[in-house]
Amino acid sequence: MSANVTRLDNGLTVASDRMSEVASVSLGVYVDVGTRHETREANGVAHLLEHMAFKGTRRRSARAIAEEIESVGGHLNAYTGREGTAYYAKLLADDAGLALDILADILQHSVYDPEELARERQVVLQEIGLAEDTPDDIVFDLYQETAFPDQPLGRPVLGRAEIVSRLGRDALIAYQAENYGADRMVLAAAGRIEHDWLVAQAERLFADLPSRGETLPQPARYAGGELIEGRQLEQAHLVLGFPGLAARDPRIYTAAVLSTLLGGGMSSRLFQEVREKRGLVYSIYTFVSHFKDGGLFSIYAGTGESEAAELMPVVAAELAKVSRAVEPGEVERAAAQVRATLLMARESTGARAEALAGQLATFGRPLSTEEILSEVAAVDAEAVRALAQECFAGPPTLVAIGPIAEVEPLERFARRLA
């Protein structure tokens, strides 16, 4: 990665990754705080604040914000996660100054008009309701909560309706004042961009951002457990998981290869055994989640009512197999998939800007493509097997929603892996 990084006097990190072959630029401000930094009483405030940032500043109305960026063919958006929040834009490189001005404006001078807040709160409540009505969405929130119960890392990003419905302007201002510091932000850009120009613009536009100092969230405490919720649906949705790796664990590349080998594509072990050979699911895949001080190794399956009972023992058998033996050839195939995914993402300005910001937040420095590819290439069969054995020895988490007449008890499932 051909990245340049500068830290301003107020603590804001400015980073750029120049792509001279493109005509556009993706840029954003990535804030190193999210749902995990909320109190129980204000769950959902981070997400509501992200929504309200676009609803007017001292010199721009909500409509003006939308019209200005779209008048040059650009796109402006944001998202909230458990450990971070992002405000970003993609547009032609000649208009990068406009995007920076808007981002600086909404992050420093939003007014949080009470009437706008009342309207946007209803929008967020509808979003929460939609998620509740979408089982293949809400199952992941329930899974996170079951894996990390009674702690910020397990709470839903959207928040709970009964809490969001009473969040007021003061709550937004208090959360921003406590958490939105320049020293917790990365301004990252990728595309046709000059680093010195970006730094000069950042020094001018983000001068009002204060430093806040680091706030340590409540430590992650993985517990695991089981939640089975019967619903009248056409399909049952199951998420099964185990304790995984923290973001700075050097074995994250081994985890990526293990996840791909086990459930990352049509040639993966789970897809071949569970879907192709037995026809027990329509969809099955694995994914890994890395947090600052913990992680998850997870499996999703969408299955029918009559197949759910048979599914768990088959999955357990495959997890036990990969903990005992892994072939070098399948590791090579999985590593090739990981490598291709990384290199194809390098063609996207948005993916490169987000990756750059994430690396700075996690490692304190950008990682070159060559460095990452070298780590992936170094993963061998024994490393994959050993990590599988370690992960699947941990207490499991199971969440299932839908027409589930019978599912194997979690204790019996865990014994199959012993």
Side-chain angles (χ1 to χ4, degrees), residues 15-84:
S16 67
D17 184 2
R18 180 167 173 77
M19 302 167 65
S20 58
E21 69 278 11
V22 301
S24 63
V25 63
S26 292
L27 50 85
V29 176
Y30 299 83
V31 192
D32 197 28
V33 292
T35 305
R36 191 175 179 182
H37 298 80
E38 299 170 341
T39 63
R40 183 191 302 274
E41 296 74 22
N43 179 213
V45 68
H47 177 248
L48 183 58
L49 175 65
E50 171 232 304
H51 272 244
M52 284 302 298
F54 298 95
K55 298 305 173 183
T57 70
R58 296 171 194 165
R59 59 190 179 94
R60 287 183 173 97
S61 66
R63 180 166 183 166
I65 292 171
E67 288 182 344
E68 283 188 45
I69 197 74
E70 292 183 1
S71 68
V72 296
H75 305 281
L76 185 67
N77 212 333
Y79 64 82
T80 303
R82 288 187 166 83
E83 293 190 318

Side-chain angles (χ1 to χ4, degrees), residues 66-118:
E67 288 182 344
E68 283 188 45
I69 197 74
E70 292 183 1
S71 68
V72 296
H75 305 281
L76 185 67
N77 212 333
Y79 64 82
T80 303
R82 288 187 166 83
E83 293 190 318
T85 309
Y87 302 83
Y88 60 94
K90 181 178 176 67
L91 70 177
L92 295 176
D94 290 345
D95 300 310
L98 172 64
L100 285 170
D101 186 70
I102 292 175
L103 289 172
D105 196 18
I106 65 175
L107 286 169
Q108 297 171 105
H109 307 128
S110 287
V111 295
Y112 308 127
D113 178 75
E115 291 185 5
E116 288 283 1
L117 176 57

